[in-house]
Short mmCIF file of all heavy atoms in Angstrom, two decimals:
data_model
loop_
_atom_site.label_atom_id
_atom_site.label_comp_id
_atom_site.label_asym_id
_atom_site.label_seq_id
_atom_site.Cartn_x
_atom_site.Cartn_y
_atom_site.Cartn_z
N LEU A 1 -14.10 -2.14 -13.79
CA LEU A 1 -14.20 -0.68 -13.92
C LEU A 1 -15.47 -0.26 -14.65
O LEU A 1 -15.81 -0.81 -15.70
CB LEU A 1 -12.98 -0.14 -14.66
CG LEU A 1 -11.70 0.02 -13.85
CD1 LEU A 1 -10.53 0.37 -14.76
CD2 LEU A 1 -11.87 1.11 -12.78
N GLY A 2 -16.16 0.69 -14.04
CA GLY A 2 -17.36 1.24 -14.65
C GLY A 2 -18.62 0.47 -14.35
O GLY A 2 -19.72 0.97 -14.62
N LYS A 3 -18.50 -0.73 -13.81
CA LYS A 3 -19.69 -1.56 -13.56
C LYS A 3 -20.28 -1.33 -12.19
O LYS A 3 -21.48 -1.55 -11.98
CB LYS A 3 -19.32 -3.04 -13.74
CG LYS A 3 -18.90 -3.37 -15.15
CD LYS A 3 -18.53 -4.84 -15.31
CE LYS A 3 -18.13 -5.13 -16.76
NZ LYS A 3 -17.71 -6.55 -16.95
N LEU A 4 -19.48 -0.88 -11.24
CA LEU A 4 -19.93 -0.60 -9.88
C LEU A 4 -18.84 0.17 -9.16
O LEU A 4 -17.69 0.20 -9.61
CB LEU A 4 -20.30 -1.88 -9.13
CG LEU A 4 -19.21 -2.83 -8.65
CD1 LEU A 4 -19.83 -4.01 -7.91
CD2 LEU A 4 -18.34 -3.35 -9.76
N PRO A 5 -19.14 0.83 -8.04
CA PRO A 5 -18.12 1.62 -7.35
C PRO A 5 -16.95 0.76 -6.87
O PRO A 5 -17.13 -0.37 -6.40
CB PRO A 5 -18.88 2.21 -6.17
CG PRO A 5 -20.31 2.25 -6.62
CD PRO A 5 -20.48 1.01 -7.46
N ILE A 6 -15.74 1.32 -6.97
CA ILE A 6 -14.52 0.66 -6.53
C ILE A 6 -13.74 1.61 -5.64
O ILE A 6 -13.58 2.79 -5.95
CB ILE A 6 -13.64 0.25 -7.73
CG1 ILE A 6 -14.38 -0.73 -8.64
CG2 ILE A 6 -12.32 -0.36 -7.26
CD1 ILE A 6 -13.62 -1.09 -9.90
N PHE A 7 -13.26 1.09 -4.52
CA PHE A 7 -12.47 1.86 -3.55
C PHE A 7 -11.21 1.05 -3.24
O PHE A 7 -11.29 -0.12 -2.90
CB PHE A 7 -13.30 2.09 -2.28
CG PHE A 7 -12.57 2.73 -1.13
CD1 PHE A 7 -11.51 3.61 -1.33
CD2 PHE A 7 -12.97 2.46 0.17
CE1 PHE A 7 -10.85 4.21 -0.26
CE2 PHE A 7 -12.32 3.04 1.25
CZ PHE A 7 -11.26 3.92 1.04
N GLY A 8 -10.04 1.68 -3.40
CA GLY A 8 -8.78 0.98 -3.15
C GLY A 8 -7.93 1.69 -2.11
O GLY A 8 -7.96 2.92 -1.98
N ILE A 9 -7.17 0.90 -1.37
CA ILE A 9 -6.23 1.41 -0.37
C ILE A 9 -4.87 0.79 -0.60
O ILE A 9 -4.75 -0.42 -0.78
CB ILE A 9 -6.71 1.09 1.07
CG1 ILE A 9 -7.91 1.97 1.45
CG2 ILE A 9 -5.60 1.27 2.08
CD1 ILE A 9 -8.51 1.64 2.81
N CYS A 10 -3.81 1.61 -0.61
CA CYS A 10 -2.41 1.18 -0.65
C CYS A 10 -2.11 0.36 -1.92
O CYS A 10 -2.17 0.89 -3.01
CB CYS A 10 -2.04 0.44 0.63
SG CYS A 10 -0.26 0.42 0.94
N LEU A 11 -1.82 -0.94 -1.80
CA LEU A 11 -1.59 -1.74 -3.00
C LEU A 11 -2.83 -1.71 -3.89
O LEU A 11 -2.74 -1.66 -5.12
CB LEU A 11 -1.24 -3.18 -2.64
CG LEU A 11 -1.03 -4.13 -3.83
CD1 LEU A 11 0.15 -3.69 -4.68
CD2 LEU A 11 -0.83 -5.58 -3.35
N GLY A 12 -4.02 -1.74 -3.28
CA GLY A 12 -5.25 -1.65 -4.05
C GLY A 12 -5.33 -0.36 -4.85
O GLY A 12 -5.82 -0.34 -5.99
N HIS A 13 -4.84 0.73 -4.28
CA HIS A 13 -4.76 2.02 -4.98
C HIS A 13 -3.80 1.91 -6.17
O HIS A 13 -4.11 2.35 -7.28
CB HIS A 13 -4.28 3.08 -3.99
CG HIS A 13 -3.60 4.26 -4.57
ND1 HIS A 13 -4.28 5.29 -5.21
CD2 HIS A 13 -2.28 4.60 -4.62
CE1 HIS A 13 -3.40 6.20 -5.62
NE2 HIS A 13 -2.19 5.81 -5.28
N GLN A 14 -2.65 1.32 -5.94
CA GLN A 14 -1.65 1.19 -7.01
C GLN A 14 -2.18 0.32 -8.16
O GLN A 14 -2.00 0.64 -9.34
CB GLN A 14 -0.37 0.60 -6.43
CG GLN A 14 0.30 1.50 -5.40
CD GLN A 14 1.30 0.77 -4.54
OE1 GLN A 14 1.54 -0.43 -4.72
NE2 GLN A 14 1.92 1.48 -3.60
N LEU A 15 -2.83 -0.78 -7.81
CA LEU A 15 -3.36 -1.68 -8.83
C LEU A 15 -4.49 -1.02 -9.61
O LEU A 15 -4.60 -1.18 -10.84
CB LEU A 15 -3.84 -2.97 -8.17
CG LEU A 15 -2.75 -3.83 -7.51
CD1 LEU A 15 -3.37 -4.99 -6.76
CD2 LEU A 15 -1.74 -4.32 -8.54
N LEU A 16 -5.35 -0.27 -8.92
CA LEU A 16 -6.42 0.46 -9.60
C LEU A 16 -5.82 1.46 -10.59
O LEU A 16 -6.27 1.56 -11.74
CB LEU A 16 -7.30 1.18 -8.58
CG LEU A 16 -8.35 2.14 -9.16
CD1 LEU A 16 -9.35 1.40 -10.02
CD2 LEU A 16 -9.05 2.91 -8.05
N CYS A 17 -4.79 2.18 -10.14
CA CYS A 17 -4.18 3.18 -11.02
C CYS A 17 -3.51 2.52 -12.22
O CYS A 17 -3.57 3.05 -13.34
CB CYS A 17 -3.18 4.02 -10.24
SG CYS A 17 -3.97 5.14 -9.05
N ARG A 18 -2.91 1.37 -12.03
CA ARG A 18 -2.33 0.66 -13.17
C ARG A 18 -3.43 0.22 -14.14
O ARG A 18 -3.24 0.23 -15.36
CB ARG A 18 -1.50 -0.54 -12.69
CG ARG A 18 -0.22 -0.13 -11.98
CD ARG A 18 0.65 -1.34 -11.65
NE ARG A 18 1.22 -1.92 -12.86
CZ ARG A 18 2.37 -1.56 -13.41
NH1 ARG A 18 3.10 -0.59 -12.86
NH2 ARG A 18 2.82 -2.14 -14.50
N ALA A 19 -4.58 -0.17 -13.59
CA ALA A 19 -5.71 -0.53 -14.45
C ALA A 19 -6.23 0.68 -15.22
O ALA A 19 -6.83 0.53 -16.29
CB ALA A 19 -6.84 -1.14 -13.61
N LEU A 20 -6.00 1.88 -14.68
CA LEU A 20 -6.41 3.12 -15.34
C LEU A 20 -5.34 3.65 -16.28
O LEU A 20 -5.47 4.74 -16.83
CB LEU A 20 -6.75 4.18 -14.29
CG LEU A 20 -8.00 3.93 -13.45
CD1 LEU A 20 -8.06 4.89 -12.27
CD2 LEU A 20 -9.26 4.05 -14.30
N GLY A 21 -4.24 2.90 -16.42
CA GLY A 21 -3.21 3.27 -17.38
C GLY A 21 -1.96 3.88 -16.79
O GLY A 21 -1.02 4.22 -17.53
N ALA A 22 -1.90 4.03 -15.46
CA ALA A 22 -0.75 4.66 -14.82
C ALA A 22 0.39 3.67 -14.62
O ALA A 22 0.22 2.45 -14.71
CB ALA A 22 -1.15 5.26 -13.48
N THR A 23 1.56 4.21 -14.33
CA THR A 23 2.71 3.40 -13.97
C THR A 23 3.04 3.63 -12.49
O THR A 23 2.60 4.62 -11.88
CB THR A 23 3.94 3.76 -14.82
OG1 THR A 23 4.24 5.15 -14.66
CG2 THR A 23 3.69 3.46 -16.28
N THR A 24 3.80 2.71 -11.92
CA THR A 24 4.25 2.83 -10.54
C THR A 24 5.77 2.73 -10.49
O THR A 24 6.39 2.20 -11.40
CB THR A 24 3.63 1.72 -9.66
OG1 THR A 24 3.84 0.45 -10.29
CG2 THR A 24 2.13 1.93 -9.49
N TYR A 25 6.34 3.24 -9.41
CA TYR A 25 7.78 3.15 -9.24
C TYR A 25 8.13 3.02 -7.77
O TYR A 25 7.30 3.31 -6.90
CB TYR A 25 8.48 4.38 -9.85
CG TYR A 25 8.13 5.71 -9.21
CD1 TYR A 25 8.94 6.25 -8.19
CD2 TYR A 25 7.02 6.43 -9.62
CE1 TYR A 25 8.62 7.46 -7.61
CE2 TYR A 25 6.70 7.65 -9.05
CZ TYR A 25 7.51 8.17 -8.05
OH TYR A 25 7.19 9.37 -7.46
N LYS A 26 9.34 2.59 -7.48
CA LYS A 26 9.78 2.34 -6.11
C LYS A 26 10.41 3.61 -5.53
O LYS A 26 11.26 4.24 -6.15
CB LYS A 26 10.78 1.19 -6.05
CG LYS A 26 10.98 0.62 -4.65
CD LYS A 26 11.87 -0.63 -4.70
CE LYS A 26 11.85 -1.36 -3.36
NZ LYS A 26 12.39 -0.55 -2.27
N LEU A 27 10.00 3.95 -4.32
CA LEU A 27 10.60 5.05 -3.60
C LEU A 27 11.97 4.65 -3.04
O LEU A 27 12.26 3.46 -2.88
CB LEU A 27 9.70 5.48 -2.44
CG LEU A 27 8.37 6.13 -2.82
CD1 LEU A 27 7.45 6.17 -1.62
CD2 LEU A 27 8.59 7.52 -3.38
N LYS A 28 12.78 5.64 -2.71
CA LYS A 28 14.11 5.36 -2.20
C LYS A 28 14.03 4.57 -0.89
O LYS A 28 14.72 3.58 -0.72
CB LYS A 28 14.89 6.66 -2.00
CG LYS A 28 16.33 6.47 -1.54
CD LYS A 28 17.06 7.79 -1.46
CE LYS A 28 18.51 7.58 -1.03
NZ LYS A 28 19.25 8.86 -0.96
N PHE A 29 13.19 5.04 0.05
CA PHE A 29 13.05 4.32 1.32
C PHE A 29 11.60 4.22 1.80
O PHE A 29 11.34 3.74 2.89
CB PHE A 29 13.92 4.96 2.42
CG PHE A 29 13.73 6.45 2.59
CD1 PHE A 29 12.68 6.95 3.34
CD2 PHE A 29 14.61 7.34 2.00
CE1 PHE A 29 12.51 8.31 3.51
CE2 PHE A 29 14.45 8.72 2.16
CZ PHE A 29 13.39 9.20 2.91
N GLY A 30 10.67 4.67 1.00
CA GLY A 30 9.26 4.46 1.30
C GLY A 30 8.69 5.41 2.33
O GLY A 30 9.38 6.27 2.89
N HIS A 31 7.40 5.24 2.58
CA HIS A 31 6.68 5.98 3.63
C HIS A 31 6.11 4.96 4.60
O HIS A 31 5.24 4.16 4.22
CB HIS A 31 5.52 6.79 3.04
CG HIS A 31 5.91 7.78 2.00
ND1 HIS A 31 5.11 8.05 0.91
CD2 HIS A 31 7.00 8.57 1.87
CE1 HIS A 31 5.69 8.98 0.15
NE2 HIS A 31 6.85 9.30 0.71
N ARG A 32 6.58 4.98 5.83
CA ARG A 32 6.06 4.04 6.82
C ARG A 32 5.99 4.74 8.17
O ARG A 32 7.01 5.18 8.69
CB ARG A 32 6.95 2.78 6.91
CG ARG A 32 6.97 1.99 5.60
CD ARG A 32 7.94 0.83 5.65
NE ARG A 32 7.96 0.12 4.37
CZ ARG A 32 8.75 0.44 3.34
NH1 ARG A 32 9.60 1.46 3.45
NH2 ARG A 32 8.68 -0.23 2.21
N GLY A 33 4.79 4.82 8.72
CA GLY A 33 4.63 5.48 10.00
C GLY A 33 3.22 6.00 10.19
O GLY A 33 2.36 5.85 9.32
N LEU A 34 3.00 6.67 11.33
CA LEU A 34 1.66 7.11 11.71
C LEU A 34 1.50 8.63 11.62
O LEU A 34 0.49 9.16 12.06
CB LEU A 34 1.35 6.69 13.16
CG LEU A 34 1.74 5.26 13.57
CD1 LEU A 34 1.32 5.01 15.01
CD2 LEU A 34 1.10 4.24 12.63
N ASN A 35 2.50 9.31 11.06
CA ASN A 35 2.50 10.77 11.10
C ASN A 35 2.80 11.38 9.74
O ASN A 35 3.50 12.38 9.63
CB ASN A 35 3.56 11.24 12.10
CG ASN A 35 4.92 10.61 11.86
OD1 ASN A 35 5.09 9.82 10.92
ND2 ASN A 35 5.89 10.95 12.69
N GLN A 36 2.23 10.79 8.69
CA GLN A 36 2.52 11.22 7.32
C GLN A 36 1.48 12.26 6.87
O GLN A 36 0.29 11.98 6.82
CB GLN A 36 2.48 10.02 6.38
CG GLN A 36 3.37 8.86 6.80
CD GLN A 36 4.83 9.12 6.49
OE1 GLN A 36 5.16 9.79 5.52
NE2 GLN A 36 5.72 8.59 7.31
N PRO A 37 1.91 13.49 6.52
CA PRO A 37 0.96 14.56 6.15
C PRO A 37 0.52 14.46 4.69
O PRO A 37 1.34 14.36 3.78
CB PRO A 37 1.77 15.83 6.38
CG PRO A 37 3.19 15.42 6.12
CD PRO A 37 3.31 13.97 6.55
N VAL A 38 -0.79 14.51 4.47
CA VAL A 38 -1.38 14.42 3.14
C VAL A 38 -2.33 15.58 2.93
O VAL A 38 -3.10 15.94 3.83
CB VAL A 38 -2.13 13.08 2.97
CG1 VAL A 38 -2.97 13.08 1.70
CG2 VAL A 38 -1.14 11.92 2.94
#
């Protein structure tokens, strides 16, 4: 962190956020599919 640009996706996003001090939790049934609105 801070030494060069970092880009994370999915688990990489979660791990980056944990490195930034955040916590993670399990969803009831998750998000899986091709039609998820963000």
Side-chain angles (χ1 to χ4, degrees):
L1 280 171
K3 296 180 179 178
L4 73 179
I6 299 175
F7 173 30
I9 287 176
C10 201
L11 178 63
H13 155 76
Q14 296 162 1
L15 296 173
L16 172 63
C17 290
R18 290 186 70 89
L20 291 168
T23 57
T24 51
Y25 63 95
K26 196 174 191 298
L27 292 166
K28 184 176 181 180
F29 52 82
H31 302 144
R32 297 175 181 88
L34 316 182
N35 51 1
Q36 307 283 327
V38 168

